[in-house]
Amino acid sequence: MLNYGIVLFPSKPFQDTANGLRRRYDAHYANIPPHITLKESFSISNEELPEMIHVLRDIARQCPPIDIHVYKVDTFFPQSTTIFYKLKENKQLSWLNEKLYQEPFPTDRAHSVFIPHITIAQKLQQAEHDDIVGQLKMIDVSHQETIDRIQLLYQLDNESWTVYETFLLQGQST
Amino acid sequence: MLNYGIVLFPSKPFQDTANGLRRRYDAHYANIPPHITLKESFSISNEELPEMIHVLRDIARQCPPIDIHVYKVDTFFPQSTTIFYKLKENKQLSWLNEKLYQEPFPTDRAHSVFIPHITIAQKLQQAEHDDIVGQLKMIDVSHQETIDRIQLLYQLDNESWTVYETFLLQGQST
């Protein structure tokens, strides 16, 4: 059994911007580049992998490239001290997320609602969270770009993630 | 212009093994998972990327999955204090490396000879290198596995690497 996750990476310049904050505030800074999680960590066996890959290819073929729109900094507090770039709701992201929580993928959700976001701070002490959240919320983070691929990653024992495979989004925009 | 690199990732268990040493000895531990470099960092523009991708797909289609054989720990000293898992010479690795230093790829080589390896220590002071190299060389690292994909990565401003695309090796074994 390995832990897998499915994410989108934003463009290099936007990853650099996010890392400027993550370096200081994100406990997972060294584990994975800045990303939008489509499906949170799930565990499957080597035997189950080929079927997943097959379905992922199919999903990617149907989905057009995604226009993401980052529009503000927000926090998940009091659920957690995670602070993030919030993305505008997006039909394609929601569709992908839906698909990735249907069979043959594990269907259990850690969070009942899908809130597309890029984490910039996590595992903060509450005092630190309260110190910085106001200032971070004031940052103008308006940013739009198009992402044309999704990434399947697996987790190593040191908790970092390695990309297993890229799937190009090849659907026709409507 | 972005910096790109082309690598192979070994299997998750072997990455874990390598990371056990890299954690202590590799200054680039947090920048990239354990890997075999096929083409060292090169710089190209966004305009040049599509042609590279096209050629990479073509190369991957021709190349069968690669049986790698790690057989010992060695050092590049005195050229550098880099210590690595050495791989047995391998026709496919050499062929891939050749192809990736031909047009349309940049053809200049930082190292005249291609020595396939997985780095486990680098940027050591010479005294530290001399302290640990004997002990590391005594480790039995005999390991074989098959790798069926290559990865194109780009470098962020913090010097870490993000995977841009995976290319499956789809040639027929002879």
Side-chain angles (χ1 to χ4, degrees):
Chain A
M1 303 288 281
L2 279 189
N3 291 332
Y4 291 89
I6 302 171
V7 308
L8 307 170
F9 293 131
S11 63
K12 188 262 182 190
F14 199 69
Q15 286 184 58
D16 289 333
T17 302
N19 273 338
L21 295 166
R22 293 179 74 222
R23 179 178 297 114
R24 276 171 289 172
Y25 302 125
D26 185 345
H28 294 173
Y29 170 60
N31 292 348
I32 187 171
H35 61 279
I36 300 153
T37 302
L38 289 172
K39 183 173 179 66
E40 294 187 69
S41 177
F42 62 101
S43 189
I44 57 167
S45 66
N46 288 344
E47 289 67 41
E48 294 169 283
L49 186 61
E51 166 76 354
M52 300 279 158
I53 300 281
H54 181 79
V55 174
L56 268 172
R57 282 202 189 119
D58 213 50
I59 290 172
R61 259 195 295 267
Q62 294 175 58
C63 186
I66 301 175
D67 296 320
I68 66 158
H69 187 169
V70 175
Y71 72 107
K72 69 171 179 180
V73 172
D74 205 349
T75 175
F76 285 126
F77 191 82
Q79 278 76 25
S80 75
T81 56
T82 298
I83 301 171
F84 56 90
Y85 291 140
K86 190 163 185 176
L87 274 65
K88 291 222 166 144
E89 262 198 58
N90 181 304
K91 273 187 199 167
Q92 286 152 278
L93 284 176
S94 299
W95 182 83
L96 277 174
N97 175 263
E98 280 292 311
K99 284 283 184 190
L100 298 176
Y101 281 92
Q102 290 169 7
E103 300 284 347
F105 299 100
T107 58
D108 47 313
R109 284 182 180 267
H111 301 96
S112 51
V113 186
F114 172 57
I115 299 172
H117 67 278
I118 297 171
T119 294
I120 53 176
Q122 63 188 313
K123 308 268 166 86
L124 301 172
Q125 298 295 319
Q126 194 191 324
E128 189 182 8
H129 170 274
D130 296 350
D131 268 355
I132 64 172
V133 68
Q135 182 191 344
L136 292 177
K137 277 186 174 179
M138 286 171 62
I139 300 172
D140 173 17
V141 292
S142 184
H143 173 78
Q144 297 185 52
E145 65 175 67
T146 304
I147 300 181
D148 66 355
R149 59 199 60 215
I150 59 180
Q151 309 274 358
L152 173 67
L153 303 90
Y154 55 88
Q155 193 170 30
L156 303 184
D157 287 354
N158 69 359
E159 305 206 323
S160 70
W161 295 84
T162 300
V163 169
Y164 184 71
E165 191 163 335
T166 312
F167 302 89
L168 302 181
L169 301 175
Q170 297 179 300
Q172 294 303 309
S173 300
T174 45
Chain B
M1 302 288 281
L2 279 189
N3 291 332
Y4 291 88
I6 302 171
V7 308
L8 306 169
F9 292 131
S11 64
K12 188 260 181 191
F14 199 69
Q15 286 184 58
D16 289 333
T17 302
N19 273 338
L21 295 166
R22 293 180 74 222
R23 179 178 298 114
R24 275 170 291 172
Y25 302 125
D26 185 346
H28 294 174
Y29 170 60
N31 292 347
I32 188 171
H35 60 279
I36 300 153
T37 302
L38 289 172
K39 182 173 179 66
E40 294 186 70
S41 178
F42 62 101
S43 189
I44 57 167
S45 67
N46 288 343
E47 289 67 41
E48 294 170 284
L49 185 61
E51 165 76 356
M52 300 279 158
I53 300 281
H54 181 79
V55 174
L56 268 172
R57 283 202 189 119
D58 212 51
I59 290 171
R61 259 195 294 268
Q62 293 175 57
C63 186
I66 301 176
D67 296 320
I68 66 158
H69 186 170
V70 175
Y71 72 107
K72 69 171 178 180
V73 172
D74 205 349
T75 175
F76 285 126
F77 192 82
Q79 278 75 25
S80 75
T81 56
T82 299
I83 301 171
F84 56 90
Y85 291 141
K86 190 163 187 177
L87 273 65
K88 291 222 166 144
E89 262 197 60
N90 181 304
K91 273 187 200 168
Q92 285 152 278
L93 284 177
S94 299
W95 181 83
L96 277 173
N97 176 263
E98 280 292 312
K99 284 283 184 190
L100 298 176
Y101 281 92
Q102 290 168 8
E103 300 284 347
F105 299 99
T107 58
D108 46 314
R109 286 182 179 267
H111 301 96
S112 51
V113 185
F114 172 57
I115 300 173
H117 67 279
I118 297 171
T119 295
I120 53 176
Q122 63 188 314
K123 309 267 166 88
L124 301 172
Q125 298 295 320
Q126 195 191 324
E128 189 182 9
H129 170 274
D130 295 350
D131 267 355
I132 64 173
V133 68
Q135 182 190 344
L136 291 178
K137 277 186 174 180
M138 286 171 62
I139 300 172
D140 173 16
V141 291
S142 184
H143 173 78
Q144 297 185 52
E145 65 176 66
T146 304
I147 300 181
D148 66 355
R149 58 200 60 215
I150 60 180
Q151 309 274 358
L152 173 67
L153 303 90
Y154 55 88
Q155 193 170 30
L156 303 184
D157 287 353
N158 69 359
E159 304 206 324
S160 70
W161 295 84
T162 300
V163 169
Y164 184 71
E165 190 162 337
T166 312
F167 302 88
L168 301 181
L169 301 175
Q170 297 180 301
Q172 295 302 309
S173 300
T174 45

